[in-house]
Amino acid sequence: MPQLLAGKTALILGVANRWSLAFAIARAFIREGAKVILTYQGDRQKPTVEELAAELKAHQVLPCDVTQDAQLDALVDELKKQGTVLNCVVHSVAFANREDLDKPFVETSRAGFALATDVSAYSLVAVARATAPLMAAKDQGGGSIITLTYLGSTRVVENYNVMGVAKAALESAVRYLASDLGASNIRVNAISAGAVKTVSARGIRDFSKMLEGAAGMAPLKRNTDPAEVADAAVFLASDLGRGVTGNILYVDAGMQIMGFARTE
Ligand code: NAP
């Protein structure tokens, strides 16, 4: 079978460890022939991400804290200097203070709200603006920007709290960015993944119960496999996804359609 991403270059932000959704996406992209560049947030994460990059046979590892405009600029300058043309950017980044996930939503602090939306939603705008000039020309396929979201954006999911509001902003940003960048043939989409046990997810109180509940309630009667999320990202990054932009693609074993279900 031909590789779906042969000849394409992807920048992937958000690999923290081998359980990260971004790690599954990087692995799938490399399987499909893409050249993959990974980023890490700070010096503490550098050795882990470099180790994972070596295991995956990723092309390069560069620093990028998405809250620091200077770091985004430096990343883009480095890629420009190398003559890199990007075909895809994966934004798999989110953060909220643990205390804001532990308390009732009504008690979210102003600072906690600003932090969660800055890291988890505004950063997509900053990343899109910074990387759009590096994307392939519109008659060369343009580019695909993919972010990761969750059902807590449109439904109340207990304990998801401020992160749900940040994901609502993120999903809206996907639509506005898709509209702005469409003329350059840059597509912007989000994958709404079902709950997966990762470091970020473990910050949500009673996450294990959420996983259990979702497996009982989802039409497919199971949880989401990160490899399924990764394969959806391959589709959106590939030419097969060329007509899709401004979309939220649910890869969640069908969980988002459910209103109520009896779970034994
Ligand atoms: P993860 O492995 O913890 O990944 C989150 C990533 O965000 C980490 O690599 C983290 O880097 C990075 N990050 C946080 N602040 C950053 C900053 N200022 N600059 C750059 N990177 C930063 O967890 P994940 O579950 O794979 O999360 C990836 C995405 O999927 C998130 O948007 C999440 O909301 C979304 N998602 C997850 C689930 C789920 O159930 N797991 C479901 C739907 C959507 P450090 O570790 O270095 O801080």
Side-chain angles (χ1 to χ4, degrees):
M1 210 161 101
Q3 289 178 302
L4 289 168
L5 301 179
K8 293 196 189 287
T9 299
L11 175 68
I12 300 183
L13 298 91
V15 173
N17 53 46
R18 61 182 63 255
W19 292 276
S20 297
L21 293 177
F23 180 80
I25 293 171
R27 188 161 49 193
F29 276 26
I30 289 166
R31 178 195 76 211
E32 295 299 333
K35 183 166 132 182
V36 166
I37 301 160
L38 301 179
T39 66
Y40 58 90
Q41 190 198 161
D43 284 342
R44 200 166 51 83
Q45 285 84 12
K46 187 178 177 191
T48 311
V49 179
E50 281 180 343
E51 207 175 290
L52 294 172
E55 177 186 325
L56 288 170
K57 298 193 170 47
H59 174 69
Q60 196 174 15
V61 178
L62 294 168
C64 185
D65 179 331
V66 294
T67 62
Q68 306 297 318
D69 287 334
Q71 288 203 20
L72 263 173
D73 291 346
L75 171 71
V76 166
D77 285 349
E78 177 60 28
L79 294 174
K80 253 189 213 153
K81 204 167 74 190
Q82 297 172 9
T84 303
V85 175
L86 292 176
N87 306 99
C88 180
V89 174
V90 176
H91 170 277
S92 186
V93 167
F95 183 78
N97 280 329
R98 190 147 193 165
E99 68 203 55
D100 286 317
L101 299 172
D102 277 348
K103 290 186 294 199
F105 174 68
V106 70
E107 287 175 27
T108 308
S109 66
R110 192 181 296 270
F113 190 101
L115 176 70
T117 45
D118 184 27
V119 179
S120 316
Y122 178 74
S123 64
L124 178 70
V125 183
V127 166
R129 186 173 58 243
T131 57
L134 296 177
M135 294 282 193
K138 61 179 177 187
D139 57 349
Q140 301 293 311
S144 171
I145 299 175
I146 302 165
T147 188
L148 276 299
T149 187
Y150 178 62
L151 184 64
S153 60
T154 49
R155 310 277 171 88
V156 173
V157 174
E158 222 178 354
N159 302 328
Y160 200 61
N161 297 356
V162 69
M163 191 51 81
V165 177
K167 290 302 191 191
L170 178 75
E171 291 177 16
S172 187
V174 163
R175 293 184 280 273
Y176 279 93
L177 289 169
S179 172
D180 274 2
L181 300 175
S184 305
N185 198 16
I186 297 173
R187 299 178 289 111
V188 188
N189 293 287
I191 297 173
S192 185
V196 172
K197 202 175 235 171
T198 62
V199 170
S200 294
R202 272 189 274 140
I204 298 157
R205 191 151 53 93
D206 290 336
F207 182 75
S208 300
K209 285 191 197 146
M210 203 164 130
L211 271 180
E212 255 174 56
M217 194 167 165
L220 296 181
K221 300 294 171 216
R222 61 172 176 78
N223 284 126
T224 299
D225 178 350
E228 298 165 342
V229 176
D231 284 345
V234 167
F235 159 71
L236 289 173
S238 78
D239 295 342
L240 297 180
R242 66 193 176 280
V244 183
T245 194
N247 246 287
I248 314 297
L249 174 60
Y250 286 87
V251 181
D252 64 349
M255 185 63 196
Q256 99 284 358
I257 66 167
M258 300 305 294
F260 174 77
R262 210 162 27 126
T263 51
E264 305 306 321

